[in-house]
Amino acid sequence: MSMDLNFWKYKEGAVHDNNKIYELACCDGKMVDGLEELPVNEIIEKIASVFSDWTALDNNHYEKEERGAFEIFTTPQIVRFDCNGMQEADMNALMDILIDFGCPLYDPQISTRFDSWTDR
């Protein structure tokens, strides 16, 4: 199964327009007012640590036989994972990493951002 997982953090008081953020920031790579800048290097380091037993083709491409593969796309404001053939537990590990950085998942497959735990 192929899917993408998208993460960002709104600035306090920003209008939440998840579909717009997904299109502009996650798909087009544009900077968007209302989003915080993320510690992207720290996030990439954490991913490398958690997925250290996967083959890192470079800092943005990981694969493991019989576990699938993922590619990382970042800007200063977003992190997006394009996942191919991954197991649910491995995708959950990616989500947990971003939750630790205060970034909830946006799932464009169902147009839902799982942010009920944030301070909105």
Side-chain angles (χ1 to χ4, degrees):
M1 171 170 57
S2 179
M3 67 185 309
D4 60 285
L5 310 174
N6 304 270
F7 302 86
W8 63 81
K9 187 174 185 178
Y10 284 109
K11 289 181 179 177
E12 188 173 322
V15 174
H16 291 212
D17 189 342
N18 300 325
N19 292 330
K20 175 184 170 186
I21 299 301
Y22 173 70
E23 290 294 326
L24 293 176
C26 298
C27 295
D28 296 340
K30 294 182 180 175
M31 298 294 285
V32 179
D33 289 338
L35 295 185
E36 296 281 355
E37 288 202 10
L38 303 177
V40 174
N41 290 335
E42 286 180 52
I43 293 168
I44 297 295
E45 289 173 10
K46 180 69 174 180
I47 294 164
S49 173
V50 170
F51 288 86
S52 62
D53 62 334
W54 286 50
T55 301
L57 304 175
D58 59 36
N59 283 342
N60 297 319
H61 298 83
Y62 288 80
E63 64 181 31
K64 187 170 185 178
E65 192 170 327
E66 297 185 25
R67 298 294 284 261
F70 64 93
E71 183 176 351
I72 308 166
F73 171 71
T74 64
T75 73
Q77 295 180 316
I78 64 97
V79 176
R80 172 183 168 144
F81 299 101
D82 292 313
C83 304
N84 293 296
M86 289 181 66
Q87 297 178 6
E88 184 177 344
D90 295 322
M91 289 189 287
N92 285 340
L94 292 171
M95 290 179 229
D96 289 342
I97 292 168
L98 273 293
I99 286 171
D100 288 345
F101 287 93
C103 299
L105 168 69
Y106 175 75
D107 184 345
Q109 288 80 206
I110 57 174
S111 298
T112 300
R113 188 162 189 254
F114 296 91
D115 61 357
S116 62
W117 55 271
T118 65
D119 289 333
R120 301 183 130 233

